[in-house]
Amino acid sequence: MTQLELRELADGVWAWLQPGGETGVANAGVIADDDGLTLVDTLMVRSQWEPFAAAVEALDRTVKRVVLTHAHVDHVGGTGKFRNAAVYASAITSNLLDQPMPLDAYKAFMPAFADEFDDLAELGTRPVSHLVEGAANLTPRVEVLPAAGHTPGDVMVLVADADVLFAGDLCFFGVTPLAFQGDPQQWATMLDAIVELADTIVPGHGPVGGEREVRELQSYLRHCVAGEIPSGPWDGWLDRAERDPINIERAALLRDERDEIPPSMLKAIGLP
Ligand SMILES: [Zn+2]
């Protein structure tokens, strides 16, 4: 595996970008303030969060806060490593993290990491210690912003002085988004606000981007709502075959006011 490193996007603002960005392979972020560091998400399994934690340790600053953008396991698995940090997330994320992990579903959905999930289950993750109930400045640099669209409990992290937004899974660049718990229509609308927030956007999955990538994602989501995806810039995205049906089915269910997991997602996690 290639050696990853923290990529400094601006003074005291770093992204940890896992190449590929497919299922289970997410990004994280680090922001420095005078009192210490704020992390954005903690990746999933030990082979991912250990090198990230080592790079954070090499900055030689206290980790004061962890912001979890949502409860999906590829963003929260390493939280236990940062034992002394305050953990910020939405109430919905907090509730989900208090539930037992659906290990069999994880193993079925992310077979590449099946061997590592028992370790994750043993370690557990950390509960949320601080609820994000509205837009709030956690530090002079770090602002948390409630969002919605990918899951009902999304939050994002804005570093306005550096013009950088950590969008969590509101943004997937070069990778097909996954809306099995989301609302493609609401998500597409949310992206109008996101392009106004910052020029540099760190997605939950894939490389750093900006307005062009956000608009491509928006257009893809609108096609999912319409029920048909024509040829476009998404032709080369990862995981199209698996995720197109999930996203289209989810949009159709919501149109019928059925807030349900799409059948193709149930199949992907090994349920009939
Ligand atoms: Zn997610």
Side-chain angles (χ1 to χ4, degrees):
M1 200 175 133
T2 39
Q3 180 83 35
L4 297 187
E5 53 184 20
L6 285 170
R7 180 168 150 206
E8 190 160 26
L9 302 175
D11 191 28
V13 181
W14 298 267
W16 182 264
L17 304 165
Q18 296 199 96
E22 66 273 26
T23 304
V25 181
N27 297 329
V30 183
I31 303 127
D33 271 273
D34 287 344
D35 74 338
L37 303 174
T38 301
L39 308 187
V40 183
D41 288 339
T42 62
L43 314 175
M44 184 168 72
V45 288
R46 185 184 294 271
S47 62
Q48 298 175 337
W49 56 251
E50 263 186 354
F52 173 59
V56 170
E57 227 159 273
L59 296 174
D60 203 20
R61 309 280 303 277
T62 311
V63 178
K64 300 286 274 189
R65 291 158 293 270
V66 174
V67 180
L68 300 175
T69 58
H70 62 301
H72 285 164
V73 67
D74 47 344
H75 297 260
V76 303
T79 314
K81 174 69 181 167
F82 306 99
R83 267 192 303 276
N84 298 318
V87 182
Y88 290 80
S90 67
I92 288 173
T93 295
S94 178
N95 290 339
L96 287 167
L97 290 179
D98 290 340
Q99 311 298 318
M101 287 186 194
L103 277 191
D104 290 340
Y106 291 166
K107 288 177 184 174
F109 192 55
M110 295 173 271
F113 301 100
D115 292 348
E116 291 194 85
F117 284 123
D118 287 325
D119 172 61
L120 171 62
E122 202 167 306
L123 288 168
T125 182
R126 286 190 56 208
V128 172
S129 61
H130 292 65
L131 294 182
V132 175
E133 282 162 340
N137 275 91
L138 304 187
T139 75
R141 304 194 76 188
V142 175
E143 187 178 2
V144 290
L145 299 170
H150 174 64
T151 73
D154 299 322
V155 304
M156 305 184 292
V157 174
L158 178 64
V159 188
D161 72 74
D163 203 14
V164 174
L165 177 74
F166 292 91
D169 279 0
L170 268 304
C171 289
F172 287 67
F173 296 155
V175 186
T176 312
L178 181 60
F180 75 101
Q181 290 174 319
D183 179 338
Q185 177 136 26
Q186 180 189 35
W187 186 344
T189 304
M190 187 87 214
L191 293 173
D192 279 329
I194 284 175
V195 295
E196 301 295 326
L197 290 171
D199 284 342
T200 301
I201 296 176
V202 181
H205 297 264
V208 173
E211 177 161 8
R212 183 170 65 89
E213 288 77 11
V214 175
R215 293 295 181 196
E216 288 172 4
L217 172 61
Q218 183 176 49
S219 172
Y220 168 87
L221 289 166
R222 287 187 171 145
H223 289 304
C224 291
V225 174
E228 210 177 300
I229 303 167
S231 183
W234 39 83
D235 287 351
W237 291 357
L238 291 176
D239 290 337
R240 281 286 307 283
E242 299 78 13
R243 294 183 177 184
D244 284 0
I246 294 171
N247 295 334
I248 289 172
E249 285 170 22
R250 176 70 180 171
L253 284 165
L254 292 175
R255 199 160 39 241
D256 291 342
E257 295 181 14
R258 290 166 63 191
D259 183 1
E260 296 167 22
I261 304 288
S264 47
M265 183 68 194
L266 293 174
K267 206 170 135 218
I269 59 174
L271 294 173

